[in-house]
Amino acid sequence: MDAPIRMVLLGKTGSGKSSLANTICGDQLFTINHTINSETSHCEAITRSVGGRNLTVIDTPGFFDTDRSEEALKPEIVRCITECAPGPHVFLIVLKVEKFTEHEKAIIEKICTYFSEDVLKYAVVVFTHGDQLPDGEQIEEFLRGNKLVSELVKRCGGRCHVMDNKYWNNRQQKEYRSNLFQMERLLETIDTLVTENKGKCYTNDLLQAAEEEIKEEEENIRQVSGNLPEAEIREKAKRRVADKLLIMCTALGVGVLLGAIFGVVVMVGAVLTVLQESSEPVKLRKAVGRTVVASAGMASALVGGVIPAATSLSVIAPAAAVAATGAVKGALIGCDVAEVAETPKEAAQKTAEAVKNEAQVHLDKIHQGWKKLIDPQCEESQEEKSLLGDTIY
């Protein structure tokens, strides 16, 4: 069969992602979590033939939940990276048909924060619990009553559908409130989306680097494992890379990892020189390094009270932001250390120490700089003071 179309389902816990994944695959293949506490949820990927298409459906935990533990989410984000590498062809943003409370608004705002416009070119909004629609009303009419959700759908090119995983399974094919009818429409939208994107998937440095590492691991497994099926070799390789990536990403926050996947990179002038571009192929450590740089950019922007626009990457960096530059260098050192660390805990400890030491060096330099700038007895020339002041400000 043709190479599979990779489809990632995203949404909060309880939105109906797993049930939707089962509806798409036509069977009960994904675990449905009926509890409010989703700490045991994990990323699942299943490949099936659906309507003549080869689909890999990737179900995810509630990455955008406002009450999820970072430690519980981080391994699943890493697993999602390896499952969809070198990138998904389609993102399904799953929302419920319901009255949007402040909690739901917060989830949507989180999605909008992390999703770059490039990601939204590959996104479709799918509403579940369609039975909550008033009689005779279609999803487009429902959207008119919510500006925030309407804007999200608009940014996704107007692509939206509605399903009901419980009550719409036994209706006539051409009736609007029928999963069979809605599934046909959804698959048509996916076909159109893949065609418009010329069959290319959404990707970035981190996803490409993960794929390169997986391919290297596949070759290593082939050389020592005899005649294992290709599917089993792929799964073993993905597990190895996920373990390696988790160790390397231990020091990174969930927000940074999500930003790395979904394309939001906030850079600050103070950190642009930390990691230089090169002509070498992008490797996993380098891609993680770029993610760390993005992390420091976010921290600096928040400290300065400014979130730079995508087209305007400049901000006045205060002392704490300059110290963040040192933290970036320390984190990059930590990434090198992580390559020989045996566990995420060991990697975290070594990275934390590297960040602490490097940031302290920069804070000491800043302290000395301020002392020279304001001490009238300082022997530095006025010209040197001026240059120092420009650097600090």
Side-chain angles (χ1 to χ4, degrees):
M1 296 182 69
D2 293 336
I5 296 171
R6 293 178 294 277
M7 177 190 304
V8 177
L9 278 65
L10 299 164
K12 73 169 186 175
T13 299
S15 62
K17 296 186 303 295
S18 299
S19 295
L20 176 61
N22 286 331
T23 300
I24 291 171
C25 292
D27 205 349
Q28 299 299 306
L29 303 175
F30 291 87
T31 303
I32 299 175
N33 191 340
H34 293 290
T35 63
I36 296 176
N37 186 340
S38 60
E39 291 296 323
T40 58
S41 296
H42 60 278
C43 183
E44 293 183 85
I46 294 175
T47 300
R48 284 290 183 273
S49 175
V50 179
R53 307 161 186 82
N54 202 16
L55 296 182
T56 294
V57 181
I58 302 165
D59 186 20
T60 65
F63 288 162
F64 300 99
D65 288 4
T66 55
D67 56 353
R68 292 296 304 275
S69 161
E70 284 209 357
E71 290 309 309
L73 279 177
K74 204 174 296 180
E76 300 310 324
I77 296 173
V78 167
R79 184 173 177 184
C80 180
I81 291 171
T82 56
E83 289 292 354
C84 71
H89 298 87
V90 182
F91 291 100
L92 296 187
I93 302 173
V94 184
L95 304 172
K96 290 172 66 174
V97 173
E98 61 184 351
K99 182 178 180 180
F100 286 88
T101 65
E102 291 303 315
H103 179 71
E104 278 70 42
K105 290 178 182 177
I107 298 291
I108 296 170
E109 287 170 355
K110 255 192 167 186
I111 292 173
C112 291
T113 297
Y114 287 118
F115 272 39
S116 69
E117 293 302 321
D118 282 344
V119 174
L120 296 177
K121 293 176 183 177
Y122 299 82
V124 181
V125 180
V126 180
F127 292 89
T128 59
H129 296 259
D131 67 301
Q132 297 299 310
L133 281 174
D135 288 343
E137 186 172 298
Q138 298 191 3
I139 195 61
E140 290 78 9
E141 297 171 76
F142 170 78
L143 289 178
R144 295 191 191 111
N146 191 296
K147 183 178 180 181
L148 185 64
V149 184
S150 297
E151 183 60 29
L152 174 61
V153 171
K154 183 179 179 180
R155 291 178 66 198
C156 293
R159 293 179 293 271
C160 74
H161 294 280
V162 62
M163 306 282 288
D164 188 278
N165 303 307
K166 187 175 182 180
Y167 298 106
W168 288 10
N169 290 322
N170 299 313
R171 299 299 183 94
Q172 295 179 3
Q173 182 175 347
K174 294 302 180 181
E175 187 176 350
Y176 185 85
R177 293 174 180 245
S178 159
N179 278 346
L180 184 59
F181 173 67
Q182 294 295 342
M183 183 58 61
E184 287 180 356
R185 294 183 63 180
L186 175 60
L187 292 176
E188 288 171 2
T189 295
I190 292 171
D191 289 342
T192 301
L193 189 58
V194 172
T195 300
E196 288 176 351
N197 292 322
K198 299 179 180 179
K200 296 178 181 179
C201 64
Y202 165 79
T203 191
N204 58 29
D205 284 351
L206 190 56
L207 291 166
Q208 290 176 18
E211 179 65 14
E212 289 180 20
E213 291 283 332
I214 291 170
K215 289 187 178 300
E216 289 181 11
E217 289 293 345
E218 285 178 338
E219 188 57 35
N220 293 336
I221 294 169
R222 288 189 190 97
Q223 292 177 4
V224 299
S225 300
N227 298 318
L228 280 178
E230 283 299 308
E232 187 173 343
I233 290 174
R234 177 77 179 181
E235 287 303 313
K236 282 192 172 185
K238 287 192 295 187
R239 286 196 296 270
R240 289 184 183 181
V241 173
D243 290 342
K244 184 188 301 185
L245 187 57
L246 181 58
I247 290 175
M248 296 180 71
C249 291
T250 295
L252 303 184
V254 163
V256 178
L257 279 175
L258 290 175
I261 300 175
F262 302 131
V264 175
V265 179
V266 183
M267 301 292 286
V268 176
V271 300
L272 289 177
T273 59
V274 174
L275 193 66
Q276 298 295 327
E277 294 289 336
S278 75
S279 58
E280 299 176 1
V282 176
K283 294 296 183 181
L284 197 57
R285 195 206 69 80
K286 184 175 179 182
V288 172
R290 287 180 176 174
T291 301
V292 177
V293 174
S295 171
M298 293 177 196
S300 300
L302 289 172
V303 170
V306 178
I307 298 295
T311 55
S312 178
L313 303 178
S314 62
V315 65
I316 298 176
V322 178
T325 307
V328 171
K329 291 182 179 178
L332 290 175
I333 294 169
C335 284
D336 287 327
V337 171
E339 290 187 349
V340 295
E342 295 183 357
T343 66
K345 182 178 180 180
E346 181 185 352
Q349 290 172 340
K350 292 182 180 298
T351 301
E353 189 65 26
V355 171
K356 176 183 175 182
N357 292 341
E358 192 68 29
Q360 188 61 54
V361 168
H362 280 257
L363 284 170
D364 289 343
K365 288 181 179 179
I366 291 165
H367 177 74
Q368 291 299 320
W370 274 112
K371 185 177 180 181
K372 290 178 181 179
L373 189 63
I374 65 176
D375 187 353
Q377 303 301 319
C378 182
E379 296 179 356
E380 269 74 10
S381 67
Q382 291 300 317
E383 181 181 357
E384 287 173 327
K385 286 184 178 181
S386 177
L387 290 172
L388 182 60
D390 290 341
T391 301
I392 293 177
Y393 285 102

